[in-house]
Amino acid sequence: MKHIKGVFFDFDGVLIDSLPSMKVAWAEVKEKFNVSADFKDFKKFIGIPFISILKELDINERDFISIKKKYSEIASKNKKLIKLNPYVNELITWLRGKKIKVAIVTSKDYARTMDLLEYFDLQVDAVVTPEQTFRGKPYPDPLFKAAELLSINIKEAIFIGDMISDMRAASKARCLYLHYTSGYQKINATQYGGLIDSLLEIKEFISFYK
């Protein structure tokens, strides 16, 4: 087994808890565009690109761009509601000390992702957002892009996610995967990869493969 040279993190649910911000933004969208889908319906699809979520919710395609713009605007204005998850800074500092590269692989758009990375002062080596790949999660394209940006082999990386779409992307890429059970999608077992309850467990996993 090769040493781990890169760790890919999903953003929402793994490194940050942005559900309160999302809920406020979706409430505005629901009212302004007369959308029938409640936030609980929206939440089921977190992890795939925003436009794909709108398609899953059977929203009129003519409203996609306007809804995305309004949603992003409200979510950005309410970033104070977003919290960093436990041990994120400690883990990233540890990874950097071990010379392990860090990438964000998210379905959030590039502008909001970069704004939040600056807001929380998170230092990473690469960021992959939907604008950079033809297909988003659950396809493996974003993971291959992250490996390319970090100049590592996909088999030398591990992806940390919290949604089934993350797990499926890792499976298709044949990338090591750990499912963060404290994230947004709770599962008791996994068809691919392993389970972690705390981000600090990643340190033990990486040390095991050395």
Side-chain angles (χ1 to χ4, degrees), residues 44-63:
K44 295 175 185 176
F45 299 105
I46 293 173
I48 65 175
F50 188 80
I51 295 299
S52 297
I53 294 178
L54 299 185
K55 291 178 180 177
E56 291 287 348
L57 296 175
D58 292 324
I59 291 173
N60 196 312
E61 189 172 346
R62 70 184 180 190
D63 293 327

Side-chain angles (χ1 to χ4, degrees), residues 4-180:
I4 301 298
K5 294 183 179 179
V7 178
F8 308 157
F9 290 101
D10 175 47
F11 203 23
D12 295 281
V14 175
L15 296 187
I16 61 174
D17 179 10
S18 55
L19 278 182
S21 173
M22 291 183 190
K23 191 171 184 178
V24 170
W26 190 251
E28 290 267 358
V29 164
K30 183 176 169 64
E31 181 178 357
K32 181 175 178 59
F33 296 93
N34 196 29
V35 171
S36 60
D38 293 324
F39 182 70
K40 68 179 186 332
D41 303 311
F42 176 89
K43 184 182 175 183
K44 295 175 185 176
F45 299 105
I46 293 173
I48 65 175
F50 188 80
I51 295 299
S52 297
I53 294 178
L54 299 185
K55 291 178 180 177
E56 291 287 348
L57 296 175
D58 292 324
I59 291 173
N60 196 312
E61 189 172 346
R62 70 184 180 190
D63 293 327
F64 281 7
I65 301 303
S66 297
I67 287 177
K68 185 177 188 300
K69 182 179 179 181
K70 173 56 70 174
Y71 179 91
S72 297
E73 173 189 322
I74 301 303
S76 294
K77 285 182 179 178
N78 287 276
K79 65 184 177 185
K80 64 181 181 298
L81 298 176
I82 301 173
K83 305 296 183 184
L84 207 60
N85 280 336
Y87 310 118
V88 169
N89 284 319
E90 180 180 340
L91 177 59
I92 291 179
T93 298
W94 183 83
L95 291 171
R96 287 192 165 279
K98 296 293 184 180
K99 308 299 182 186
I100 296 173
K101 297 178 179 179
V102 176
I104 302 291
V105 179
T106 179
S107 295
K108 190 184 292 297
D109 66 71
Y110 182 81
R112 287 195 298 136
T113 298
M114 298 309 293
D115 180 48
L116 288 172
L117 287 176
E118 180 179 357
Y119 181 71
F120 288 111
D121 192 26
L122 296 179
Q123 305 298 315
V124 300
D125 301 293
V127 175
V128 179
T129 62
E131 296 93 334
Q132 294 160 270
T133 59
F134 179 68
R135 303 178 300 182
K137 297 178 289 184
Y139 292 98
D141 307 33
L143 299 183
F144 289 130
K145 183 65 177 180
E148 176 189 334
L149 291 174
L150 295 184
S151 299
I152 63 174
N153 188 298
I154 194 71
K155 295 184 182 301
E156 299 172 326
I158 180 169
F159 180 37
I160 316 300
D162 70 318
M163 301 294 290
I164 295 299
S165 57
D166 296 320
M167 184 188 300
R168 288 174 178 167
S171 176
K172 291 172 183 176
R174 305 311 298 168
C175 176
L176 292 172
Y177 178 74
L178 290 176
H179 193 88
Y180 181 52

